Amino acid sequence: MKTIVILISGRGSNMQAIVEANLPVHIAAVISNRADAAGLSYAQSKGIATRVVDHRNYDSREAFDAALMQTIDALKPDLVVLAGFMRILTEGFVNHYQGRLINIHPSLLPAFPGLATHAQALKAGVKVHGCTVHFVTPQVDHGPIVVQAEVPVEPGDTPETLAARVLAQEHRIYPQAIRWFAQDRLTITPDGRVNVQGVEALSDS
Ligand code: GRF
């Protein structure tokens, strides 16, 4: 069975969806950069080990990432899962976990990288929005796409109503992507695409 660690910074609803999906993985720990992340108490209530690596205790991004890397590597994970982890990671960190670091982003990448994606989508007037699970590369919100889900933008949507519709899909596709990883079905091609063994290209089912 593969071992994963999940990194969070706050609410942790994606982490919760991953835990509740009962995937064939061992969750070695949930790690947060904030001691007050709400998701930590959920993880503890499920008997999952938790760790806090507080970024404020380090004077540089490099020092924080080194400490984080040490904490992660002690757990020997096959996959590191970013689930609402709100820190930009250094190139050294990202390269260290090449092919075993994934993220969920609340937009249909490459549209709307960065923050406030739902407001960005409403401002752009797009008719469909959604979320993306991708392998992480040094460029923020970039990297080989594992799976995407789309949702309609409805008349009268606010960033909050749109976020809720997207979040429901995040909670569906993130466990799916990790299940594929656990089943050894994901390969990254040299040109940066993800093949999912047994699933037709572009489908999320
Ligand atoms: C999610 O929308 C995720 O896509 C984004 O941050 C949010 C985290 O939510 N990166 P949660 O902590 O998983 O509830």
Side-chain angles (χ1 to χ4, degrees), residues 17-159:
I18 293 162
V19 171
E20 284 172 1
N22 284 318
L23 301 172
V25 295
H26 167 57
I27 304 175
V30 170
I31 302 174
S32 174
N33 63 307
R34 300 177 56 112
D36 63 356
L40 287 175
S41 37
Y42 170 81
Q44 283 155 6
S45 78
K46 294 290 169 186
I48 299 168
T50 60
R51 305 265 192 286
V52 174
V53 184
D54 189 334
H55 60 278
R56 292 169 305 184
N57 293 341
Y58 302 89
D59 13 294
S60 67
R61 246 181 229 291
E62 286 71 22
F64 168 67
D65 279 11
L68 186 59
M69 213 185 284
Q70 212 168 38
T71 305
I72 294 170
D73 288 351
L75 299 159
K76 301 197 186 312
D78 299 291
L79 183 69
V80 179
V81 176
L82 304 178
F85 186 69
M86 302 303 287
R87 302 293 304 170
I88 301 217
L89 296 161
T90 58
E91 191 165 344
F93 182 99
V94 171
N95 289 338
H96 179 70
Y97 296 107
Q98 198 185 355
R100 50 195 186 108
L101 178 63
I102 58 173
N103 182 45
I104 189 152
H105 182 75
S107 78
L108 294 171
L109 290 173
F112 315 130
L115 297 173
T117 54
H118 310 300
Q120 288 190 57
L122 291 175
K123 191 164 175 220
V126 294
K127 304 297 185 196
V128 290
H129 184 42
C131 47
T132 304
V133 177
H134 65 98
F135 282 99
V136 177
T137 55
Q139 194 179 334
V140 174
D141 298 329
H142 193 82
I145 291 172
V146 180
V147 59
Q148 295 183 300
E150 64 176 44
V151 302
V153 178
E154 307 280 7
D157 260 338
T158 63

Side-chain angles (χ1 to χ4, degrees), residues 10-15 83-84 86 103-106 118 167 170-171:
R11 180 176 58 178
S13 72
N14 276 289
M15 177 269 297
M86 302 303 287
N103 182 45
I104 189 152
H105 182 75
H118 310 300
L167 193 63
E170 294 184 38
H171 295 166

